[in-house]
């Protein structure tokens, strides 16, 4: 019997997160206040974030302790298994060794609870009673609902109205974990009311949902806001993925030549790659590849400059590869990758040549997803399938070149709640879409210049 | 940090299944030919089953080797984790120790692949190219689709038409794994055509879907039929669950006082309990409890007698606790427990006092499911929630009596694809239903007497 899973015991869950800011050759430029355009300080953030998370946001300590209470909850699904993809390798007839770290084992089905749990914990410690957040299709909202519930906190989720209606399952999951879910725009906030007055049939957008959640948090003293990607502390929490993978590779006496993650905001890619990137920064030969959709090619076609983190322009300016904050990506099935920019940490590392990026088309991504489901049995989320596509491409290159490389990718979530996308693909209803360069230029031309 | 998960390595997957027929004080009475009413022989079954499975069906060998090829696929998710339910215990404030074995980690989300994989394997070995089977909501059909796909076999699933329309997700999962799915009644078989001629709007039933699948298998020489529960070889394959649990309890130096499983056909209950029942047969103090819905109370209100295994009366007579093969249970959400009888092995053990049974009402079951989701984070399948309800009841009894018992239950599947049931429960749309005794009497009065 071949060894398929490399597993660790509860005792081997990492006790510290790894902060890549301690090792980066160049730190990201600081976030700027949207009014003064001066670097923002901790006080600017304290209205909506607890101080412990603000400290993590700016910390340059290499190792940050994971609280005992967070470890207790992590142990419900962590350490997650590392799989050797024997069947996929065989189907590709590649000399490459393909490994994947499976984060879909979390109760919410993705890597998102790695950060929703500590975010709920630190807010609870700070005396906060309620978390307001936004969600698109519901992957982040359900993870935050789960986390709030486990710490006995209320969670209010503003869910983009079109998803609220069309994708009821993740909404029901949020409610099952006790959260209150509003279709956004809602009549609960001023931002929502204003949008509804202008157009009662407004289908909502992530930008509007963010506005509602931030307004809710800013106008209730017992309530904070939580974000599922982009920020430094979110990426920090995700490093448990890569830290576990390092131990698992030690157990099989191997080390990846190539690490691949899909990239929307960048948190799952950061999670699996940052601990290994530390080795690369110190000289190790290693490639890290961000795979993004050709319909939202932020790293591959965006510009590295200051932009707002949200569509509505409520957040600080962040230094990112961006397509412009009013860029509206087409409605591809990988909803979690439809973000106009990327996390500042990921952007800086990409800028400094420590990461690569490639953009993939939707049809090729679903072809890869189907091959994976039919060889490795797990049905992946459409977002995750971008990483699979990236891994398959590299494995086929190894075959061409006759090289036995070791490839690791992050299987960041399962696709149980995304099966309609598979039906659409199999029924020939999907197509490729590449965002036209001229449209990107136009969106970027509207950005302020610093 | 408390220990939450008890895990085993790939190397500790059991290499043999445990056959309880080697230890039962009384073997079940033999299946009878529906025509002659004489015990059926291997040849009667060979038209639709491979000889290796027929041999397992009648074997009295205690240990039966698991083929290497099956172990390789088991290792995609097995050994499954055993969890200590610390948070649930705390919420109940019980001195009891509650453990659950989580079978939802399989790619199909339930225990069903434990048997679909070996069934596909033995059919492949016998030169069979295609499997025909039926499915209600799709739990078994998707497991068989997965298994067929991994062995390169075609799978044709007859899915009850009303579910085909209302529950598309499991149908899409089957298609993602390459299966062909027909809404039943279909125009593909004579049974289907006949039903459609009589009523073009026939919504289908499990009985009719079985007829279609059996007809398909019987009329194509390259095609066999596969069943997801009830038969001895199916229960045999599920014993990997209990065998792993035994090793896991050894690791924590504990042993269950009470083992609980939900019971539809009985395969997941058999899987977790049979290896432990061997100890009970040889004198160990242990209770095993089958939990069934009050709307389909087969063990608690059925009669122990010969009946058909299917609604249409195509199968051999099996000695079972039955409510009558034309008993039509109400449409509760736990569709997998809507079977008119139970596996002959489970029935014999229950008859001999080696198992207990209790019936639970739907509202209490969902209340238990919600408490579980909000403490242990995993959202369970509605069927599985019956086992949780049983475990909670026993844990509360321990609290009343001040006893520190060890309770083990089988968390047989997750509820990602059953979330509508949770919405219905939270929206107050569900109710209790207990099948009236007089209706059961009427159904039983129609059975032939032997």
């Amino acid at each position: 019997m071949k060894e398929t899973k490399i597993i660790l015991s509860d005792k081997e869950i990492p006790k510290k997160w790894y902060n890549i800011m301690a090792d980066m050759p160049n730190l990201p430029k600081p976030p700027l206040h949207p009014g003064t355009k001066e670097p923002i300080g901790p006080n600017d953030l304290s209205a909506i974030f607890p101080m412990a998370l603000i400290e993590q946001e700016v910390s340059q300590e290499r190792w940050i302790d994971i609280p005992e209470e967070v470890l207790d909850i992590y142990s419900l699904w962590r350490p997650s298994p590392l799989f050797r993809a024997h069947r996929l390798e065989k189907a590709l007839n590649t000399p490459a060794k393909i490994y994947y770290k499976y984060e879909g084992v979390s109760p919410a089905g993705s890597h998102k609870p790695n950060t929703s749990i500590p975010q709920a914990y630190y807010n609870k410690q700070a005396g906060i009673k309620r978390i307001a957040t936004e969600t698109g299709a519901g992957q982040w909202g359900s993870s935050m609902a789960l986390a709030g519930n486990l710490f006995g906190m209320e969670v209010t989720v503003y869910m983009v109205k079109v998803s609220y209606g069309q994708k009821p399952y993740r909404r029901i999951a949020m409610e099952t974990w006790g959260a209150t879910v509003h279709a956004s725009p809602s009549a609960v906030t001023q931002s929502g009311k204003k949008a509804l007055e202008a157009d009662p049939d407004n289908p909502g957008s992530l930008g509007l949902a963010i506005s509602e959640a931030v307004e809710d948090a800013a106008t209730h003293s017992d309530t904070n806001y939580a974000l599922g990607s982009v920020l430094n502390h979110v990426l920090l929490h995700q490093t448990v993925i890569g830290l576990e993978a390092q131990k698992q590779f030690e157990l099989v006496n191997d080390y990846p030549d190539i690490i691949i993650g899909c990239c929307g905001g960048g948190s799952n890619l950061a999670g699996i790659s940052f601990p290994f990137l530390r080795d690369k920064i110190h000289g190790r030969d290693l490639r890290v590849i961000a795979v993004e959709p050709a319909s939202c090619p932020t790293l591959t076609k965006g510009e590295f400059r200051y932009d707002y983190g949200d569509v509505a322009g409520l957040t600080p300016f962040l230094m990112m590869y961006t397509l412009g904050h009013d860029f509206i990506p087409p409605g591809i099935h990988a909803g979690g990758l439809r973000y106009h920019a990327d996390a500042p940490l990921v952007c800086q590392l990409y800028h400094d040549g420590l990461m690569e990026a490639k953009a993939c088309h939707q049809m090729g991504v679903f072809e890869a997803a189907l091959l994976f489901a039919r060889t490795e049995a797990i049905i992946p989320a459409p977002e995750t399938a971008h990483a699979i596509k990236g891994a398959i491409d590299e494995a086929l290159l190894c075959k061409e070149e006759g090289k036995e490389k070791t490839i690791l990718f992050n299987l960041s979530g399962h696709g149980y709640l995304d099966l309609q996308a598979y039906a659409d693909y199999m029924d020939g209803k999907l197509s490729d879409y590449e965002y036209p360069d001229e449209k990107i230029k136009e969106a970027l031309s509207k950005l302020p210049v610093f």
Side-chain angles (χ1 to χ4, degrees), chain A:
Chain A
M1 209 182 103
K2 287 179 197 162
E3 190 160 40
T4 303
K5 288 191 303 300
I6 301 109
I7 55 170
L8 303 170
S9 75
D10 280 17
K11 292 182 192 74
E12 292 169 288
I13 298 173
K15 303 296 179 293
K16 295 171 190 291
W17 291 299
Y18 167 63
N19 181 7
I20 198 164
M21 286 199 277
D23 291 296
M24 287 171 80
N26 300 299
L27 288 176
K29 289 193 186 173
L32 304 182
H33 191 282
T36 64
K37 290 171 189 164
E38 293 294 318
I40 54 166
N43 288 338
D44 295 313
L45 298 170
S46 64
I48 56 169
F49 292 114
M51 199 48 70
L53 289 177
I54 296 170
E55 281 167 12
Q56 291 181 359
E57 189 66 20
V58 298
S59 170
Q60 290 177 36
E61 291 294 317
R62 182 169 290 113
W63 299 104
I64 294 179
D65 286 336
I66 306 177
E68 192 76 12
E69 293 85 345
V70 171
L71 290 172
D72 268 345
I73 297 181
Y74 275 177
S75 73
L76 291 172
W77 72 93
R78 304 212 70 84
S80 70
L82 178 73
F83 285 86
R84 173 82 185 271
H86 291 296
R87 288 166 194 279
L88 177 61
E89 289 171 18
K90 198 176 163 194
L92 298 172
N93 191 23
T94 175
K97 289 185 280 181
I98 307 175
Y99 294 84
Y100 55 93
K101 179 82 170 158
Y102 186 33
E103 291 294 307
V105 293
S106 87
S110 80
H111 64 292
K112 294 286 185 189
N114 294 333
T115 183
S116 69
I117 300 295
Q119 288 193 50
Y121 168 77
Y122 289 117
N123 274 292
K124 177 87 175 181
Q125 288 299 101
I128 292 296
K129 301 222 164 11
R130 193 167 69 97
I131 297 284
T133 195
E134 76 287 331
T135 202
Q139 196 67 269
W140 166 245
S142 57
S143 300
M144 197 63 237
L146 169 68
N149 165 70
L150 290 173
F151 284 107
M153 302 175 79
E154 284 182 62
V155 174
T156 300
V157 183
Y158 295 88
M159 182 175 192
V160 176
K161 195 192 272 174
V162 61
S163 295
Y164 184 93
Q166 283 174 0
K167 300 189 174 180
Y169 271 29
R170 283 213 178 87
R171 168 178 64 76
I172 300 170
M174 292 184 245
E175 291 168 348
T176 300
W177 285 315
T180 302
V181 187
H182 298 298
S184 167
S186 78
V188 177
T189 67
Q190 294 305 318
S191 325
K193 281 180 193 162
K194 208 169 142 188
L196 287 172
E197 274 163 27
D199 176 10
D201 296 326
N202 188 321
S205 71
L206 205 52
L208 189 51
I210 293 179
S211 307
E212 290 205 87
V214 170
E215 181 190 321
D216 183 329
T219 55
H220 294 89
S221 60
D222 65 348
T223 303
N224 266 349
Y225 171 72
L227 201 66
S229 189
V230 178
L231 300 180
N232 301 348
H233 68 269
V234 177
L235 275 56
L236 172 77
H237 300 155
Q238 294 293 354
T239 58
V240 285
I241 305 171
L243 292 167
E244 286 176 6
Q246 285 186 316
K247 290 190 200 179
Q248 288 163 315
F249 271 99
E250 275 170 32
L251 286 180
V252 290
N253 202 20
D254 205 344
Y255 191 98
D257 299 300
I258 306 170
I259 298 177
I260 300 170
C262 66
C263 187
S267 75
N268 95 75
L269 169 70
I272 195 152
S273 67
F274 280 7
F276 292 95
L277 270 176
R278 184 183 176 206
D279 296 345
K280 180 177 170 82
I281 290 167
H282 295 105
R284 176 125 206 170
D285 194 20
L286 165 71
R287 293 171 60 206
V288 174
I289 308 173
V291 185
E292 55 187 21
S295 53
C296 189
T298 50
L299 291 169
T300 51
K301 294 202 177 173
E303 284 184 16
F304 192 43
R305 55 193 292 181
Y306 273 110
D307 193 4
Y308 291 111
D310 68 321
V311 183
L314 292 177
T315 69
F317 283 110
L318 300 171
M319 187 71 183
M320 305 183 288
Y321 281 85
T322 178
L323 299 173
H325 65 271
D326 60 0
F327 171 87
I328 297 173
I332 55 166
H333 272 293
L337 305 184
R338 292 174 69 240
Y339 185 64
H340 69 279
D342 305 275
L345 286 175
V346 166
C347 292
Q348 187 65 49
L349 291 161
Y350 175 63
H351 187 71
D352 290 343
L354 288 161
M355 280 188 174
E356 305 167 33
K358 71 182 280 183
C360 290
H361 289 88
Q362 184 164 248
M363 297 296 280
V365 165
F366 272 96
E367 187 187 19
L370 213 59
L371 176 61
F372 187 81
R374 290 181 180 180
T375 50
E376 295 295 314
I378 296 165
I379 299 177
E383 292 83 357
T384 305
H386 286 73
I388 299 172
K389 170 66 175 158
I392 289 175
D393 286 351
E394 290 298 328
L396 291 175
L397 201 63
C398 287
K399 184 177 166 182
E400 260 179 54
E401 297 176 348
K403 288 185 182 163
E404 191 197 286
K405 288 188 183 165
T406 296
I407 299 168
L408 165 65
F409 71 89
N410 195 4
L411 194 71
S412 56
H414 64 63
Y416 283 120
L417 301 185
D418 305 286
L419 283 166
Q420 190 57 49
Y422 283 84
D424 290 349
Y425 172 68
M426 291 185 289
D427 295 346
K429 290 183 187 163
L430 296 191
S431 60
D432 279 339
Y433 182 83
E434 191 167 329
Y435 213 80
D437 288 351
E438 56 271 28
K439 276 202 178 185
I440 294 172
K441 266 186 203 154
E442 192 196 326
L444 288 171
S445 72
K446 292 181 192 162
L447 284 187
V449 179
F450 292 73

